[in-house]
Amino acid sequence: MTATDDIQDAEPDIDDPGDPPMPERVAALIREQILEDRLKPGMPVRERILAKALGVSRTPLREALKILSVEGLVDLTPRRGAVVAAPSPKEQRELLQLLGAIEGFAGTLACDAITEDAMKELRATHYEMLAAIMRGDRLTYFRHNQAIHRGIVEATGNGVLIAYHRQINLRLYRVRYVVNLRTERWESAIAEHEAILDALQAGDKPRIRTILEMHVLAAFDQMERDGKGDAPPTARP
Amino acid sequence: MTATDDIQDAEPDIDDPGDPPMPERVAALIREQILEDRLKPGMPVRERILAKALGVSRTPLREALKILSVEGLVDLTPRRGAVVAAPSPKEQRELLQLLGAIEGFAGTLACDAITEDAMKELRATHYEMLAAIMRGDRLTYFRHNQAIHRGIVEATGNGVLIAYHRQINLRLYRVRYVVNLRTERWESAIAEHEAILDALQAGDKPRIRTILEMHVLAAFDQMERDGKGDAPPTARP
DNA sequence: TCAGGGTTCATGGTATGCCATATGGCCCGC
DNA sequence: GCGGGCCATATGGCATACCATGAACCCTGA
């Protein structure tokens, strides 16, 4: 199955001249395909074919690829085109470390900046997450889990922090998704989340920072131990 | 003076088909122009003119602009083209906060990871920085200052961390340059640097983190107090 | 003289065509 | 029979041409 077969049945064209520039719209579409795992890591992205599939020319598509390249979602090698980025375990761990550091720092800022309402919303999301666990709905659990982390960062009101957190999260989305799906450490994850929210409410900055920095890596190291069961890269020529 | 007048006397063309792809080379050139303040914040970047000045077509130039846009060095508005990014004071502070957070975290990692040689090299650079101060050579001081911070991050061996640190630093380069040129707090900056290196050698993680997180913001708040004397944006029609 | 509208020009956006190169298959020679 | 080199083809890279849109300027009428 080629990269294009996966995307063939997407919107045939996107000629809607809405506000956002076309390259960014194209980038968003490809991003989506990557996140949904329809474009799998290591899979080559063929310009002509994908451009035709999306109903755009090669020019905006190439610009979209440049965007995704800087974002770290695709690897652009000089004369060999673009392949969906397949972070090595080492790189995954580095990204998770950075993610943890950013969230930890955001936590300390959020201790001062978070509003009552936002705090309540986080608690509410936490309960929804618990509900999803009860139902064994791993996808919903994952979504709420992400929402909580995102919520903490957004509570800082630091737009730059939010943007970079989002970007790094994108690069890890697939990994984290797989991890969250396979890992059985729900109980400890829940405990950590509760500790995070408590520390946030109490304004205990060192504590929330420590927990958040460790929390993200925990699931990864769990996976490493399991033997990183993951779909192999390099799908096909 | 237009954006192109500034760049007119650059290399007439860059047809050297070296390894790095042309859009990245073009991006590097524009980056350089921005960092050297020849392309000033708020200044529009005209595709055709700049492309001709650089001896390339519009296509790779546009791709370069997309790269720089994701990096945050230029702002790309839908039908109005690209302008050199002019971070607001708020955004500058947010970026500095994030930079401090990354360096602080890197410091804690470096406590464990740094080698003897790297440590000695940092000390050496520190002394070179002191020498530059003695001579009143602000530019050299600035370079060595940056080198020390970069060195700490690089000592972690975390490639992702290094890359993001570099990127954020680029977005702030001009600002930090101006700040370092105007500020008179050399003494306290030196003291902080010495404290950083001591903490690093002693492996005092909480201390190095605290210092680094504050250190970067200090100069900025100094500038804020001075009344952010900076070249005004929006240079020409 | 000033204001409004229309026209024109320049600029960014997109599509397409040509070129160089990398890859895969095939043929020839050992 | 197997291996290496050559050729064909497809792919990415760049340049260019065309199109649509935004802005500035001028002309005209009040």
Side-chain angles (χ1 to χ4, degrees), chain A residues 166-237:
Chain A
R166 177 183 131 82
Q167 193 186 336
I168 296 165
N169 219 346
L170 281 178
R171 293 177 68 174
L172 283 166
Y173 193 91
R174 219 189 71 87
V175 176
R176 296 190 77 187
Y177 181 66
V178 172
V179 169
N180 273 274
L181 247 54
R182 322 180 80 248
T183 188
E184 292 300 337
R185 58 183 288 284
W186 279 5
E187 319 75 29
S188 52
I190 295 169
E192 282 172 25
H193 267 185
E194 283 172 351
I196 290 167
L197 295 184
D198 288 344
L200 186 58
Q201 196 142 34
D204 189 341
K205 298 179 186 177
R207 182 164 165 70
I208 194 174
R209 160 170 259 157
T210 304
I211 301 175
L212 277 169
E213 278 184 6
M214 298 303 171
H215 175 65
V216 178
L217 270 178
F220 179 75
D221 290 337
Q222 166 83 23
M223 185 194 71
E224 281 277 83
R225 219 174 308 126
D226 288 3
K228 64 166 182 295
D230 194 2
T234 62
R236 66 143 257 152

Side-chain angles (χ1 to χ4, degrees), chain A residues 46-48 58 62 78:
Chain A
R46 249 75 137 274
E47 306 188 343
R48 280 174 167 83
R58 287 174 58 209
R62 291 184 102 261

Side-chain angles (χ1 to χ4, degrees), chain B residues 68-89:
Chain B
L68 296 174
S69 167
V70 178
E71 289 181 356
L73 285 178
V74 303
D75 285 338
L76 231 49
T77 47
R79 296 274 172 183
R80 300 192 47 187
V83 297
V84 179
S88 66

Side-chain angles (χ1 to χ4, degrees), chain B residues 22-153:
Chain B
M22 173 130 11
E24 287 191 26
R25 264 182 297 160
V26 174
L29 281 181
I30 302 177
R31 228 183 264 121
E32 199 177 319
Q33 302 281 343
I34 293 176
L35 260 44
E36 288 176 359
D37 214 35
R38 307 178 62 183
L39 288 176
K40 298 187 194 310
M43 196 179 262
V45 180
R46 250 72 139 276
E47 305 188 343
R48 280 175 167 82
I49 306 177
L50 196 80
K52 191 155 74 174
L54 292 178
V56 299
S57 175
R58 288 177 57 208
T59 309
L61 186 113
R62 284 175 59 74
E63 292 176 4
L65 288 178
K66 287 285 182 302
I67 292 175
L68 296 174
S69 167
V70 178
E71 289 181 356
L73 285 178
V74 303
D75 285 338
L76 231 49
T77 47
R79 296 274 172 183
R80 300 192 47 187
V83 297
V84 179
S88 66
K90 177 177 186 297
E91 194 174 356
Q92 290 174 18
R93 198 168 197 288
E94 289 180 354
L95 282 166
L96 282 167
Q97 250 185 342
L98 177 55
L99 195 71
I102 288 181
E103 291 188 359
F105 180 68
T108 66
L109 294 184
C111 282
D112 294 330
I114 196 167
T115 65
E116 274 300 317
D117 286 352
M119 190 69 226
K120 283 176 183 165
E121 182 56 33
L122 284 184
R123 288 253 180 231
T125 306
H126 179 62
Y127 286 129
E128 291 202 59
M129 192 182 80
L130 294 181
I133 290 177
M134 279 300 125
R135 299 193 185 96
D137 185 346
R138 296 177 114 104
L139 179 56
T140 304
Y141 159 72
F142 178 62
R143 293 262 160 79
H144 289 314
N145 188 347
Q146 295 275 73
I148 290 175
H149 287 259
R150 186 168 4 103
I152 293 174
V153 176

